[in-house]
Amino acid sequence: MLGLGLAISVGKRILGGVIEALMSTLRGRAEYSENNTDSKAVVKDIDNYELLDKATILLTPTATSNARVHSVKTYTGDELVTNGTFDTDLTDWQISSWWTWNALGAYHPPTNSHKPLYQQTCEVGKTYKISFDLNVLQGSAKVSLGTNTGSTSQVFATDLSTGSYVYYIKAEYEYIIFNRNNASGNNEYYLDNVSVIDVSSDFDFDRASSATRINSDGLVQDMQSITDPELVLNGDFEELSDEEVTNGTFDTDSDWTLGSGWSISDGKVTSIGSNFGEQIKQTILQTNKIYKLSFDIVDYTSGNIALESVYYGVTQTFNGIGSYVAYFTSLSQTEFRLYSQNFVGSIDNVSVQQVDPNDRWSLGTGWSIEDGKASCDGAGALTSQSIIDQNKTYLVSFDVVNYTSGDIRSVFSGDGATYSENINSVGTYTRFVTSSITTGKLQFYPNSSFNGSIDNISVKDITFSTDVDLARINYDSNGDNGHILLEPTSTNLITYSEDFSQWSKEATVTLTPNYGISPDGTQNSTRMQMNADDSLYISTSSGLIASFYVKGTLGETIRLSNGSATTHTLTGNWDRVETYDSGSVSSLISINTYSGATARDIEIWGAQAEALSYATSYIPTHGSTVTRATETLTGSGNSTLINSTEGVLYAEIAGLVDADTSDRVISLSDNSITNRVEMKLSSSGSIQGRFDSASSDITLTETGLTASNFNKIALVWSSGKCALFINGVKEQEDLTFNTFASDVLFDLSFDSAYLGGSSNFYGNCKALAVFDEALEDDELELLTGITNYGSFNELAQANSYTII
Amino acid sequence: MGKGIVKLGEGKWAVKDGNLLAAKETNGRFKNTEFTVSRGTDATYVNRDGLIVNETGDDTPRIDFTDNTDGHLLLEPQSTNLVTYSEDFSEWTFLGNTDINATNITSPSGENNATNITGLNGSGSNDLRKQLTYNTANKTLTFSVYLKGSGTLRLQMSNGVDQAFQEVITLTNQWERYSVSETFNSTSVYIFYLVIDDYLGLTATSYDIWGAQLEELSYATSYIPTNGSTVTRDADTCTGAGEAADFNSEEGVLYAEIAALANDGGNRRISISDGSDTNRLNLFYNETTNEIKANYRVSNSTVVTIDTTDFNITNFNKIAFRWQSGNFILYINGENKGTNSNTTMISANTLNVLRFEDPNLVNEFYGKCKAIRVYKEALSDTDLENLTS
């Protein structure tokens, strides 16, 4: 059988490297792409085993978009719409006579009647990415899938106004249809750039909150920081306008107004002297803006070039051969003027660019922007644009890069109660602020006066969002081993996870906030100095597992108590320490030096207490408990990509814990309880494969493996056979399996339609694949094995043989 | 495609102390299915450069390149060189005009440690001989030695009483190993002679000599150097390759390109089994001269036997034995040498080990092996013909 996978790969190979083509296509359609090298290695391994052609779905941890996780295979990228850009006409579309072509696209003239424009693009059961642009002049548009008469049946977008739209739709009909939205009133719009692409191998992802991960730098990162942009614009003060000067290189004698004694020739402008006050100028300035000037003095005899105070408030003079940079404020001037103070010489490469051209900042008295920083020598305010919303928590950070005198403070405008502390030294400063104002701006206010410079201003909304549907690609603390992380819902019951000043402490404990670089990469760890039998503690409720990050002197010990206690030996690096109390609901979390713990000076960060038996990813809190929502990854596949009568479900996965409270399941199914292939990390700690067809229900179980380690698992089924392979070994086999009827399996999800949400797969996944044929045992041994090589010599060398 | 093939040799060899690398090749990927090798003593072999070298790893398998460039696994029985000075001929006796002319001749080992003997004139009285205190009664012995020169010489083993066995040999300008093998009668003696002489009319006047060896075998085995005492080389064993996943109990092909060390009447077997004698299949040489045999044993009952004596077993022969219900066959050198329609088969997932011996650790395969392949599917007759041609 020339399977779909094979057909695709053959096509790609003709065009070039199949893996490169797959990865490139993947990157092209994902909003976020990372971990490419490791993912490519996974794909390459499968290709080396000569199995890539047989994989109809292949997922690696590399490409995500909002609410989607993209599979490497099978995605052709083939555009299924013909003439979706309406370049010259409406060819290939079926239309009522109402629609006409226009240079702006397909034109739907005003009407309240059903006038469809439609094209056959889909196959029932497949999932499609449907995108298009609308320019709505009145009324609104509706988009649906329907029949060959243009009858709308599967409406997925209504009341659309002007904009670009993207939808992921599982097709129940074959035709995409555009028509009017409302039967009352006119609906008039232009339609353009219609695209329909088969994305049936992709997954739907959902998590109704933000979450943190370990990123590829080994740092704890809130996913919100990826999806939400930096709120402060031009926080590094490096934004410059396009070049304002015309003919700044003096290639021609044009564009400049030349005063007496000035002339342009030989690619430069020359002043012959005895012309004090004579200028070269262009009308290029806006009033009351700051500009950056740069130019070269390429010949010099005597005199000065000047920016004159009469125009720009301050006189700046330049002489001698060299390159010069200066900042000036235009005040009321619209003309840029270079002034000769009896200058004898030539200049070249004149450039003028507006600083902060988009007015990201308002400069109060004493503030200026120069050299990529904001400087102050007065008492006014430096004010951002409106970026603050009410009741959100923000992380504000900035650098004081120069300091002479006075104090500077940050504040949200109109929210005077939340001034930061007075800052009066060079350094990096961070601050968590919950805004009480409806809308606001970030301001830097001197406390009476400030003489210094600030830079790298950042404001991040760190409110644990309820809408960050971006799947997590998580890494080890060294940035290796990227994998998709799926976790259950969990609440950090500690209300101040990073601000330990909110904790209780014994008198001899000294805390220093913002002491060092924490696991999230910013300077927000807390130094904790203490004596023997000291403690820092906070009350919680319902917490079973407590955890925190700690860094201290190698070999010393620190203790974490939570009803139970764990004494941890410090490594000199950041460690996450956990202690689990199964016997009671703890009410107090304590970091202490009881029972002989030897550490006296440590850094701490990221405390967490959860009502689980194991610690999940860090959930930051800043005054209240915070809940991370459960994650689901579902809805890949269709009955073409999944061969029901025979096939393989393969995954490289690790559980979050050796034995969770429920089975953790990845399944191929008919989305009901009738037909399913389930890969389970069972609640008993075993690894299982369940093959449940209309006339067989076989569970293959393998114990003795650690489910929380990454295991390569393959379930294979065919007529009369099913088997469970783990890490290169056929662990279990049953030769009585009555296989599935054709085309009954169509859904690949990280859950069990049979067992319901309680058996969602929570764990780590480095690879997932579906093969549309029952691979040979030896191929499954390769696929799931870890010790095979590309040549006899490689095998020999890896096993310390002498090659004869 | 898709099914792995366990392979050994075919010009790809890798060894280490205790193991010989075999690999299961699946879709161009290689998995370790190594053999366990033991011997317990040093042993020599001919390396890729044609030199006789000593394998110092006690349990390192020997890949021998005698007479071929692809090499072969050499598996030999235990043997003792009864000549106490195999390279130092000053310890031997010179009769007549024979004498040592030089001792720095480049030997088959590549070292300058061979000896040049002169003084022969065809009179029959010019001997180089080694006298051993050894009772030859009912012993089968083989005397071998490396010689180089021109003309003819005589090699002789004599019990000094009533038996002397000899070979007249013609020297060449290349090092060659010459030997004489015979079984002595029941006469008990205490003095035994190895002789190299110019028996009446023989033409060699001088020769280079190195590596003398006397063994209680009907054929010469690999050279065992001595220097003052007898030395024993222990037997080679090569066992334990693979696991159940590497074999298909219900159908497959065992292919081997092998040669016997001699027609010595030994039962020299290659087996795939369940680790016991209960379920196994064999390719082997039997007691019958030049007999090549294959059998298939299920639940302690041999249900298939196919054999032939059409080939010289001391030559390398390409042999393939297919097992499949109702469709057994033995192919040798492109010829169908017999079929069997047995349908009693070993159960699935039973066979789990490949050995150069029977599974009950007897009938060791002593011989030469250029290649082994184990297929997990029953190849067609055409495929087998091509494979063995």
Side-chain angles (χ1 to χ4, degrees):
Chain A
M1 180 179 77
L2 182 65
L4 178 60
L6 178 60
I8 289 165
S9 70
V10 168
K12 294 295 183 186
R13 281 195 167 112
I14 291 171
L15 296 173
V18 60
I19 297 174
E20 286 298 338
L22 285 171
M23 301 305 287
S24 174
T25 305
L26 184 65
R27 285 192 294 273
R29 68 191 170 106
E31 294 176 32
Y32 305 98
S33 178
E34 59 184 280
N35 197 35
N36 291 313
T37 301
D38 283 355
S39 287
K40 193 173 172 182
V42 170
V43 178
K44 191 174 181 184
D45 280 348
I46 294 174
D47 191 43
N48 285 339
Y49 305 155
E50 300 178 14
L51 301 178
L52 189 57
D53 289 348
K54 300 174 182 176
T56 51
I57 300 174
L58 173 57
L59 172 69
T60 64
T62 187
T64 57
S65 296
N66 183 41
R68 300 291 288 178
V69 174
H70 302 287
S71 296
V72 178
K73 279 190 77 178
T74 292
Y75 176 77
T76 65
D78 293 343
E79 178 57 63
L80 301 175
V81 168
T82 305
N83 190 27
T85 53
F86 306 106
D87 292 334
T88 58
D89 52 33
L90 301 183
T91 301
D92 299 309
W93 290 88
Q94 293 177 256
I95 57 172
S96 68
S97 58
W98 198 253
W99 285 79
T100 60
W101 179 83
N102 184 290
L104 297 176
Y107 175 57
H108 181 277
T111 183
N112 59 4
S113 300
H114 174 62
K115 302 290 185 183
L117 174 142
Y118 53 106
Q119 186 175 134
Q120 186 176 18
T121 57
C122 303
E123 291 180 38
V124 173
K126 291 187 174 181
T127 302
Y128 295 93
K129 177 184 180 183
I130 299 173
S131 60
F132 52 86
D133 296 337
L134 289 176
N135 181 4
V136 179
L137 305 180
Q138 57 180 315
S140 56
K142 182 168 72 176
V143 191
S144 59
L145 296 181
T147 67
N148 60 0
T149 63
S151 173
T152 63
S153 300
Q154 187 184 355
V155 178
F156 59 85
T158 59
D159 201 21
L160 298 179
S161 56
T162 297
S164 296
Y165 295 90
V166 177
Y167 296 89
Y168 292 93
I169 304 296
K170 190 160 193 172
E172 298 170 11
Y173 296 87
E174 295 178 347
Y175 286 76
I176 183 169
I177 301 170
F178 296 86
N179 69 328
R180 58 96 173 95
N181 189 66
N182 299 309
S184 61
N186 281 330
N187 300 272
E188 179 186 13
Y189 62 89
Y190 291 99
L191 170 68
D192 201 1
N193 299 320
V194 182
S195 170
V196 176
I197 295 171
D198 184 352
V199 293
S200 295
S201 61
D202 288 351
F203 289 80
D204 298 319
F205 176 76
D206 181 69
R207 183 189 57 238
S209 76
S210 189
T212 66
R213 65 162 181 172
I214 309 297
N215 67 17
S216 59
D217 294 324
L219 300 174
V220 176
Q221 179 184 33
D222 193 331
M223 298 304 288
Q224 206 167 325
S225 69
I226 300 173
T227 58
D228 290 354
E230 167 64 50
L231 295 175
V232 169
L233 300 176
N234 196 24
D236 60 1
F237 304 103
E238 298 286 355
E239 281 187 16
L240 296 171
S241 69
D242 292 337
E243 178 59 53
E244 307 286 0
V245 169
T246 303
N247 189 28
T249 53
F250 305 100
D251 296 330
T252 59
D253 185 3
S254 61
D255 304 302
W256 292 90
T257 301
L258 305 179
S260 176
W262 286 97
S263 63
I264 296 174
S265 65
D266 299 329
K268 57 192 177 184
V269 61
T270 302
S271 171
I272 59 174
S274 301
N275 58 352
F276 195 98
E278 295 296 333
Q279 306 157 23
I280 61 170
K281 61 184 181 181
Q282 290 189 8
T283 305
I284 55 175
L285 305 182
Q286 299 178 54
T287 58
N288 295 309
K289 301 294 183 184
I290 299 174
Y291 289 90
K292 177 183 180 182
L293 163 67
S294 63
F295 67 98
D296 299 333
I297 296 179
V298 294
D299 302 307
Y300 177 76
T301 301
S302 61
N304 298 317
I305 289 293
L307 290 169
E308 266 295 326
S309 62
V310 66
Y311 304 117
Y312 309 125
V314 177
T315 297
Q316 302 180 66
T317 59
F318 313 92
N319 52 60
I321 292 175
S323 296
Y324 297 91
V325 174
Y327 291 84
F328 65 95
T329 302
S330 57
L331 301 177
S332 61
Q333 283 292 311
T334 58
E335 290 183 315
F336 165 66
R337 305 164 186 260
L338 279 179
Y339 201 91
S340 170
Q341 293 180 343
N342 296 324
F343 177 68
V344 179
S346 303
I347 64 176
D348 195 3
N349 302 319
V350 178
S351 168
V352 175
Q353 292 173 283
Q354 186 182 338
V355 173
D356 192 31
N358 299 305
D359 296 325
R360 311 294 190 191
W361 296 97
S362 296
L363 307 180
T365 303
W367 285 95
S368 64
I369 299 175
E370 295 181 6
D371 297 330
K373 58 184 182 291
S375 300
C376 180
D377 60 359
L382 175 68
T383 305
S384 76
Q385 293 179 322
S386 291
I387 55 175
I388 307 300
D389 292 331
Q390 193 171 24
N391 295 326
K392 288 191 172 182
T393 302
Y394 298 93
L395 172 61
V396 179
S397 65
F398 63 96
D399 297 337
V400 175
V401 294
N402 294 307
Y403 176 77
T404 302
S405 62
D407 299 302
I408 189 71
R409 304 170 297 175
S410 69
V411 66
F412 291 157
S413 59
D415 193 9
T418 56
Y419 273 111
S420 72
E421 75 276 19
N422 289 321
I423 294 167
N424 45 36
S425 62
V426 169
T428 297
Y429 299 90
T430 60
R431 178 187 181 212
F432 295 103
V433 188
T434 299
S435 172
S436 61
I437 55 177
T438 304
T439 60
K441 304 173 182 179
L442 174 67
Q443 291 188 312
F444 289 87
Y445 255 120
N447 184 8
S448 72
S449 67
F450 174 68
N451 191 329
S453 302
I454 63 176
D455 197 2
N456 301 320
I457 299 168
S458 168
V459 174
K460 292 283 185 68
D461 178 0
I462 59 167
T463 312
F464 219 63
S465 172
T466 57
D467 186 23
V468 184
D469 283 332
L470 185 62
R472 289 180 289 176
I473 298 174
N474 198 60
Y475 301 81
D476 293 344
S477 58
N478 62 1
D480 292 341
N481 196 29
H483 53 268
I484 295 170
L485 171 62
L486 299 170
E487 290 185 310
T489 185
S490 189
T491 299
N492 189 352
L493 301 165
I494 295 175
T495 51
Y496 288 96
S497 64
E498 299 173 16
D499 183 359
F500 294 94
S501 67
Q502 304 291 333
W503 291 40
S504 302
K505 61 185 177 68
E506 298 193 48
T508 49
V509 172
T510 300
L511 298 177
T512 306
N514 301 322
Y515 176 75
I517 305 300
S518 79
D520 75 0
T522 59
Q523 187 172 335
N524 63 353
S525 74
T526 295
R527 184 185 190 184
M528 179 180 176
Q529 294 168 286
M530 65 216 126
N531 294 326
D533 298 327
D534 263 347
S535 69
L536 177 68
Y537 56 94
I538 193 169
S539 295
T540 65
S541 60
S542 305
L544 293 175
I545 182 91
S547 60
F548 80 120
Y549 289 87
V550 61
K551 181 181 178 184
T553 303
L554 173 68
E556 294 183 348
T557 56
I558 189 69
R559 199 162 174 270
L560 175 64
S561 299
N562 178 37
S564 298
T566 294
T567 299
H568 173 72
T569 301
L570 299 165
T571 65
N573 299 311
W574 281 106
D575 307 318
R576 196 180 194 197
V577 182
E578 303 174 10
T579 187
Y580 173 61
D581 184 6
S582 61
S584 65
V585 176
S586 61
S587 59
L588 202 67
I589 307 291
S590 166
I591 301 167
N592 61 73
T593 51
Y594 298 145
S595 301
T598 59
R600 299 292 179 264
D601 190 349
I602 60 175
E603 289 179 73
I604 56 178
W605 185 82
Q608 185 155 306
E610 303 168 82
L612 291 172
S613 61
Y614 54 92
T616 64
S617 58
Y618 174 55
I619 304 167
T621 65
H622 304 282
S624 63
T625 63
V626 172
T627 298
R628 181 195 60 241
T630 191
E631 294 171 305
T632 61
L633 192 57
T634 58
S636 174
N638 56 46
S639 59
T640 301
L641 296 175
I642 302 169
N643 181 359
S644 297
T645 56
E646 65 171 277
V648 172
L649 172 61
Y650 164 77
E652 184 177 3
I653 52 176
L656 298 178
V657 64
D658 291 344
D660 211 337
T661 51
S662 297
D663 294 344
R664 298 299 166 213
V665 178
I666 300 172
S667 68
L668 294 168
S669 76
D670 58 358
N671 248 341
S672 77
I673 64 173
T674 308
N675 296 287
R676 57 190 168 132
V677 174
E678 292 186 340
M679 183 182 293
K680 293 184 187 178
L681 304 181
S682 82
S683 58
S684 66
S686 65
I687 296 174
Q688 296 180 339
R690 185 163 183 174
F691 306 84
D692 188 2
S693 68
S695 53
S696 285
D697 186 359
I698 295 168
T699 298
L700 304 178
T701 300
E702 183 60 27
T703 59
L705 294 161
T706 302
S708 61
N709 293 341
F710 274 103
N711 292 291
K712 293 181 176 180
I713 306 167
L715 308 182
V716 57
W717 72 95
S718 61
S719 179
K721 174 186 173 183
C722 59
L724 168 64
F725 280 75
I726 305 174
N727 299 337
V729 178
K730 182 163 68 177
E731 299 285 8
Q732 302 289 335
E733 184 177 43
D734 187 289
L735 301 177
T736 66
F737 181 61
N738 292 317
T739 194
F740 304 97
S742 298
D743 299 328
V744 297
L745 302 177
F746 61 80
D747 181 82
L748 170 61
S749 292
F750 284 72
D751 66 11
S752 166
Y754 181 84
L755 296 170
S758 64
S759 289
N760 285 357
F761 180 85
Y762 299 131
N764 308 301
C765 177
K766 290 170 82 170
L768 176 74
V770 174
F771 298 86
D772 66 355
E773 66 179 73
L775 303 179
E776 295 284 351
D777 285 0
D778 292 327
E779 292 174 323
L780 291 165
E781 183 182 74
L782 284 180
L783 183 65
T784 62
I786 55 175
T787 51
N788 61 78
Y789 300 89
S791 70
F792 179 83
N793 283 3
E794 286 180 26
L795 170 66
Q797 288 163 358
N799 288 276
S800 303
Y801 275 89
T802 299
I803 297 168
I804 302 298
Chain B
M1 281 289 290
K3 293 183 185 295
I5 304 169
V6 174
K7 292 182 177 179
L8 171 70
E10 302 181 17
K12 293 180 178 178
W13 300 101
V15 302
K16 65 181 178 182
D17 195 22
N19 293 105
L20 170 67
L21 185 58
K24 182 166 77 170
E25 184 178 347
T26 305
N27 294 356
R29 303 294 296 183
F30 294 79
K31 173 201 162 191
N32 191 349
T33 54
E34 66 191 5
F35 286 90
T36 298
V37 175
S38 70
R39 186 177 53 248
T41 62
D42 289 357
T44 64
Y45 65 100
V46 177
N47 70 10
R48 205 178 270 278
D49 297 326
L51 301 175
I52 296 173
V53 294
N54 190 42
E55 180 51 73
T56 55
D58 287 354
D59 295 321
T60 301
R62 292 176 291 166
I63 307 304
D64 193 280
F65 290 85
T66 301
D67 300 329
N68 70 78
T69 57
D70 286 340
H72 58 263
L73 172 66
L74 177 60
L75 298 171
E76 292 183 309
Q78 175 180 307
S79 188
T80 299
N81 188 352
L82 301 170
V83 177
T84 53
Y85 289 96
S86 65
E87 297 172 12
D88 184 359
F89 294 94
S90 68
E91 297 289 339
W92 289 44
T93 300
F94 300 88
L95 297 180
N97 296 324
T98 55
D99 200 357
I100 294 175
N101 179 53
T103 58
N104 60 350
I105 307 299
T106 301
S107 75
S109 72
E111 301 168 285
N112 295 325
N113 59 356
T115 300
N116 179 250
I117 304 294
T118 56
L120 290 79
N121 56 20
S123 67
S125 57
N126 300 305
D127 293 5
L128 171 65
R129 63 173 56 196
K130 185 65 177 173
Q131 176 181 310
L132 305 175
T133 302
Y134 182 72
N135 186 358
T136 63
N138 297 317
K139 296 286 178 57
T140 297
L141 296 172
T142 296
F143 169 40
S144 61
V145 64
Y146 289 86
L147 298 167
K148 177 183 171 185
S150 61
T152 53
L153 277 177
R154 180 177 72 160
L155 304 185
Q156 186 186 61
M157 294 188 295
S158 171
N159 66 5
V161 178
D162 60 358
Q163 279 191 301
F165 300 107
Q166 57 201 18
E167 293 281 346
V168 173
I169 60 171
T170 300
L171 301 175
T172 72
N173 61 358
Q174 301 293 323
W175 282 108
E176 292 190 36
R177 196 182 198 192
Y178 301 92
S179 65
V180 54
S181 300
E182 281 298 343
T183 301
F184 285 80
N185 62 22
S186 59
T187 302
S188 291
V189 297
Y190 300 97
I191 302 298
F192 176 71
Y193 299 99
L194 301 175
V195 179
I196 304 169
D197 68 12
D198 59 354
Y199 188 63
L200 289 175
L202 298 183
T203 59
T205 56
S206 70
Y207 57 89
D208 296 336
I209 185 170
W210 182 83
Q213 185 159 304
L214 178 67
E215 302 168 85
E216 288 185 3
L217 288 171
S218 62
Y219 55 94
T221 65
S222 60
Y223 173 55
I224 304 167
T226 65
N227 188 20
S229 64
T230 63
V231 173
T232 297
R233 181 199 62 240
D234 285 349
D236 297 288
T237 65
C238 190
T239 64
E243 56 189 359
D246 302 324
F247 309 108
N248 184 348
S249 300
E250 297 162 294
E251 68 173 52
V253 171
L254 171 58
Y255 164 80
E257 184 176 2
I258 52 177
L261 297 177
N263 254 310
D264 64 342
N267 206 328
R268 310 301 182 202
R269 297 192 176 209
I270 299 171
S271 70
I272 303 174
S273 73
D274 62 357
S276 76
D277 211 31
T278 306
N279 297 289
R280 61 162 166 77
L281 58 95
N282 290 116
L283 279 181
F284 59 108
Y285 304 130
N286 206 1
E287 293 84 352
T288 304
T289 299
N290 283 329
E291 184 171 70
I292 299 172
K293 205 167 192 175
N295 65 21
Y296 186 80
R297 185 176 174 90
V298 183
S299 300
N300 279 320
S301 176
T302 300
V303 295
V304 174
T305 298
I306 307 173
D307 56 50
T308 178
T309 57
D310 291 350
F311 303 93
N312 181 344
I313 63 171
T314 61
N315 294 336
F316 277 103
N317 295 296
K318 294 180 176 179
I319 309 165
F321 176 47
R322 178 180 69 205
W323 66 98
Q324 185 183 41
S325 180
N327 195 22
F328 288 75
I329 199 165
L330 178 66
Y331 260 87
I332 302 177
N333 299 340
E335 299 177 25
N336 177 351
K337 304 312 296 182
T339 61
N340 188 292
S341 58
N342 166 69
T343 58
T344 302
M345 302 300 294
I346 296 170
S347 299
N349 303 319
T350 299
L351 300 178
N352 58 21
V353 63
L354 169 65
R355 288 175 164 154
F356 281 91
E357 64 182 7
D358 256 349
N360 51 354
L361 311 182
V362 298
N363 299 326
E364 296 88 349
F365 180 87
Y366 297 132
K368 306 167 188 174
C369 175
K370 279 187 171 180
I372 291 279
R373 286 189 181 197
V374 183
Y375 291 86
K376 297 180 75 173
E377 58 188 331
L379 302 182
S380 68
D381 290 2
T382 301
D383 288 339
L384 293 173
E385 181 179 342
N386 292 335
L387 180 64
T388 58
S389 295

